[in-house]
Amino acid sequence: MSVPPQAPSEGTTAARPRSIPEASVARLAVYLRMLGELAEQGADTVSSDELAAASGVNPAKLRKDLSYIGSYGIRGVGYEISALLHQLERALGLNHRQAVALVGVGNLGHALAGYGGFGGRGFPVTALFDVDPDLVGIHINGILVEHVRTIPQICAERGITIGMVATPGPAAQAVCDLLVDAGVQCILNFAPVVLQVPDQVEVRKVDLAVELQILAFHVARRQLEDDLDSGIDPAAAPLNGHAAAGSPANGAVNGTVIGSVNGSGGQIR
């Protein structure tokens, strides 16, 4: 469960923030993006049905998610976009300054460092680190690449709140430890390893291979359903034109992929 950062009103004592399920937190971020697009188009209000359809959820789930931040809309009118944007930004902690450090500016890291969308969403990348002498000392998107040994000093000087790890797997844990020692308590991990961190540190793992495996699982399942609907015996049908359902290839899909879904797919730690 997550809790939205909230400041007490003047003259009141601080109340414990309401817990929000992790799945709802992820959807709140989607609602924020869609509301931003609607605001850019000049819209003032939006109904729960319209916002739900744009966000890919059902209206009941959207209303439940928004109830966690105390927003219930107005019957017959819907939600005032500017007010809901403010509520979501506060709930997601975007009313506080965030500064991001990226460690590892190889192929993936270089692309992340050059992406301007982070700053536009309130997450400016303000520090870059690597160990490659060919990279240390160059500028990417106007930011100097520093050596990883300077992580503690620079993170403290620039008030880094979020660290992104895009190093090779063997180097990721050591880099993570440096970020944690520097006081960074939120880490986005692109490295193909599970990072070990103290309980107070939040880690989100982005594993594109796992996401592709999950999609492969859904492709295989839909193909199986289509075969059954067509009266085809799945045991005798080739899988993607290569192997029968009972062959080793199919076992890889049903074993490796389903194992990824049930085991590590999308999990944080």
Side-chain angles (χ1 to χ4, degrees):
M1 303 286 280
S2 296
V3 292
Q6 296 176 344
S9 301
E10 185 176 351
T12 66
T13 58
R16 183 176 296 276
R18 183 180 181 185
S19 295
I20 303 178
E22 291 291 343
S24 293
V25 173
R27 290 191 293 269
L28 291 179
V30 176
Y31 305 152
L32 178 64
R33 176 168 57 84
M34 299 312 303
L35 286 167
E37 293 180 4
L38 289 170
E40 290 177 357
Q41 296 168 11
D44 295 320
T45 61
V46 62
S47 70
S48 59
D49 287 351
E50 291 169 336
L51 184 55
S55 304
V57 301
N58 64 63
K61 181 173 291 185
L62 177 137
R63 288 191 289 268
K64 177 65 174 178
D65 290 339
L66 295 181
S67 72
Y68 287 115
I69 64 171
S71 185
Y72 298 92
I74 301 173
R75 185 178 296 276
V77 176
Y79 298 92
E80 183 182 347
I81 289 176
S82 61
L84 186 53
L85 274 169
H86 177 72
Q87 284 183 291
L88 286 169
E89 288 174 346
R90 183 178 61 182
L92 293 171
L94 300 181
N95 57 334
H96 303 284
R97 179 183 180 276
Q98 306 292 342
V100 179
L102 171 63
V103 188
V105 289
N107 291 333
L108 175 60
H110 201 290
L112 292 171
Y115 175 58
F118 293 131
R121 299 285 179 85
F123 300 95
V125 176
T126 59
L128 300 173
F129 302 98
D130 208 291
V131 295
D132 188 338
D134 291 333
L135 295 172
V136 174
I138 71 170
H139 287 79
I140 300 176
N141 210 19
I143 303 172
L144 178 67
V145 179
E146 313 272 2
H147 196 280
V148 295
R149 71 170 73 96
T150 64
I151 284 176
Q153 173 189 348
I154 291 178
C155 285
E157 290 176 352
R158 301 180 188 177
I160 300 297
T161 56
I162 298 173
M164 292 196 296
V165 178
T167 66
Q173 186 62 57
V175 162
C176 174
D177 293 342
L178 284 172
L179 289 169
V180 172
D181 290 343
V184 177
Q185 295 189 342
C186 295
I187 295 174
L188 184 61
N189 178 29
F190 291 90
V193 294
V194 176
L195 298 176
Q196 304 300 319
V197 296
D199 290 340
Q200 72 272 17
V201 176
E202 294 290 331
V203 178
R204 300 288 300 185
K205 180 170 175 56
V206 180
D207 192 325
L208 299 180
V210 168
E211 298 303 321
L212 289 171
Q213 287 180 321
I214 294 172
L215 291 175
F217 163 75
H218 289 294
V219 170
R221 185 176 63 176
R222 290 174 183 173
Q223 182 61 54
L224 176 61
E225 292 173 350
D226 290 343
D227 288 345
L228 291 172
D229 290 342
S230 300
I232 299 174
D233 181 2
L239 180 64
N240 295 330
H242 295 295
S247 70
N250 186 67
V253 171
N254 291 324
T256 303
V257 175
I258 296 176
S260 297
V261 173
N262 293 331
S264 61
Q267 297 302 309
I268 299 172
R269 297 203 300 267

